[in-house]
Amino acid sequence: MLSTQRSDDDDQYMLVACLDNVRNVSTILKAIHFKDTATVFASPMGLKITVEDAKCVQANAFIQEAIFHHYVIKEEQLAFKINLTVLLECLTIFGSSSMPSGNTSLKMCYAGYGCPLILMLEEEGVLTDCNIKTLEPDDVLDFDFCSSNVINKIIMKSECLKEVFSELDVTSDILQILMSPDHPYLQFSTFGNAGSTHSSFPKDSEMVESFQCSQTQTNRYKISLLKPSVKALALSTRISIRTDDRGFLSLQYMIQTEDGQICFVEYYCSPDEEVDHNEES
Amino acid sequence: MKFRGKIMDPNCIHHFSNVVNTISKLVKTCIMRITEDKVFFILSERVNDGGAQIWCELPQVTIMSGGREMFIILSERVNDGGAQIWCELPQVTTMSESTMAVPRFGVSFHRVNDGGAQIWCELPQSHFFDEFAMEGVSAESNEIYLEVAPDLLVRSLRTAHSAKWVKVKLTKKNFPCLTIEVDLPSGSVHQRLVIHDIPVSVVARKHWPDFTEPEMPRFDVSIAMPQMRLLKNVVDKMKNLSNYVSLSANNSGEMKVSVETDMASISTHFQNLFNPSWNKDNTQTQAPMSQDRDPQEFATSRVDIRRFAQFLNSQQVNPDRVICNVVHHRMLHFFLLHDDVSLQYFLPVVSR
């Protein structure tokens, strides 16, 4: 029974991806795991996994084809929805902690529309077969965020932002992000029960690697929507913060895998109401 | 009623607390049964709080060379999740890899609606009690049944790791107590004595029949379990997905652990495991292994995954060898060996 499963002909699958160290993929997926379901897009470039919440926030993880040591896809684009919680449990079934004992290798197969995603994991001669049902893919949000409309852009090391985000005042509904070519350059503010907080970064801070702000912009975002991005921030080494002319926020995280490869995770978030709205009071 | 026992060997004290520790992770209360030649820990929770049952047997004194043993059996009879433990420390570890003596006491398996498990623990008596004295309710029923919380026993034995000796005795201080006296090394001539009084309640004789010995099952397949670390990880992950796990094994050294949910089916395969053979002439109560079984054929039991995970996680020691006996569609029977300690765990199937 085991041998027949192993010798299955790969020809029947539209997508076959193999990986020596499953944690390269599972850590990236954990960075966007704030909802149970995710939509997976597979293309010859690699995999894009999208998670959305409240039609206001979207997270994308890109796992490029180079992360896999074997990657074959027969179509230009494949899409399916999957339970991300289940997928992550399966990927980390031999334990998620980095044990010195050895790596878990993964073979992932998908036979096409309506078929389950098949995972075969192996560690120390022990095999695990997982058969995860796939769902009809939903349309994902298009934030229409193009680089030509970007007004302000800052690239910085993640380190200092980790503190800001982990200590966010959760009694505040919103996080206000100010980006400006003049003082205070970059400021994160919350307005909670106990008072307001402001964390500012000067543009010549060692942490800031690139500072391209053309006009002062103050936008508010729901903290509940941004809070999940802490997971990605915690794993990342660099972050790019961008806002466009409508106040939409794009956060891009550069994450280094255990094998030293670079992956990207991005979050898009739509702004809360206008700062100087009349009804607000 | 009188009872007192004294343990002097540091290894025995250590073993004794390990056993009590393991049990305390599985049940909240148990019955301590004291007979002329043995001490048992039996029973525990009532059915409505997920009633478990322990059975622990400590043979009393040292003089006789054979037959002094300690058992701890825990079993639950509940609508769901009843557990029974059987942990055994044989006096001499003569078990070879290929021929394992089936324990000569019968172990009966309580029928439960679903989920009842059993544990049985046995310790080599000869080490255990250096002094032992008891006097039962009456001459013809020379036994004592006490209800005690293993958790309290654990706490009172926590200071005992460096003790010179540990005394266990039944006392009366307004209410019945199990008094644990721990003599700690003091460095001076003065004695440093720690005394714990554990409240117990005496069980009426009419309830005694509730705590009878379980019976050894007739199993279809016996197999050595794979590395506990890997299995523990796998079962802990599966626990997040499903309430039940199916464990299958055959006589060709293959074992399979699988869960099935609406969203996914997952199975982990272990290969090249060892199938021990058992002596069949041990007791009149059982004839363990079914004969003439197709070595490729899997025997399967579907059990409560939380019970299974709890069992895997309750182990205080990393056992050298764990044997799993599968009674097809009836129960799982685990047998742990560690140095001279062994522990058995009975996990019944959950009906669909």
Side-chain angles (χ1 to χ4, degrees), chain A residues 1-2 5 83 86 89-90 92-96 99 101 123-133, chain B residues 227 229-230 233-238 240-241 254 256 261-271 298:
Chain A
M1 183 183 156
L2 288 173
Q5 282 176 342
N83 187 314
V86 173
E89 292 291 348
C90 290
T92 57
I93 192 144
F94 292 121
S96 42
M99 292 295 272
S101 55
E123 182 176 326
E124 292 172 41
V126 181
L127 288 173
T128 297
D129 294 320
C130 308
N131 225 305
I132 310 173
K133 291 198 178 114
Chain B
Q227 284 183 53
R229 179 187 64 83
L230 218 54
N233 282 340
V234 168
V235 172
D236 279 345
K237 291 288 175 181
M238 287 179 169
N240 300 336
L241 301 172
E254 291 175 355
K256 195 165 79 181
T261 71
D262 294 346
M263 281 313 298
S265 61
I266 301 160
S267 59
T268 296
H269 305 262
F270 298 89
Q271 292 175 86
F298 278 92

Side-chain angles (χ1 to χ4, degrees), chain A residues 144-163:
Chain A
D144 195 22
F145 194 97
C146 37
S147 45
S148 53
N149 295 337
V150 167
I151 289 181
N152 294 316
K153 178 180 177 183
I154 297 171
I155 298 175
M156 59 197 297
K157 294 198 176 105
S158 309
E159 222 172 293
C160 52
L161 275 191
K162 286 177 189 170
E163 283 175 29

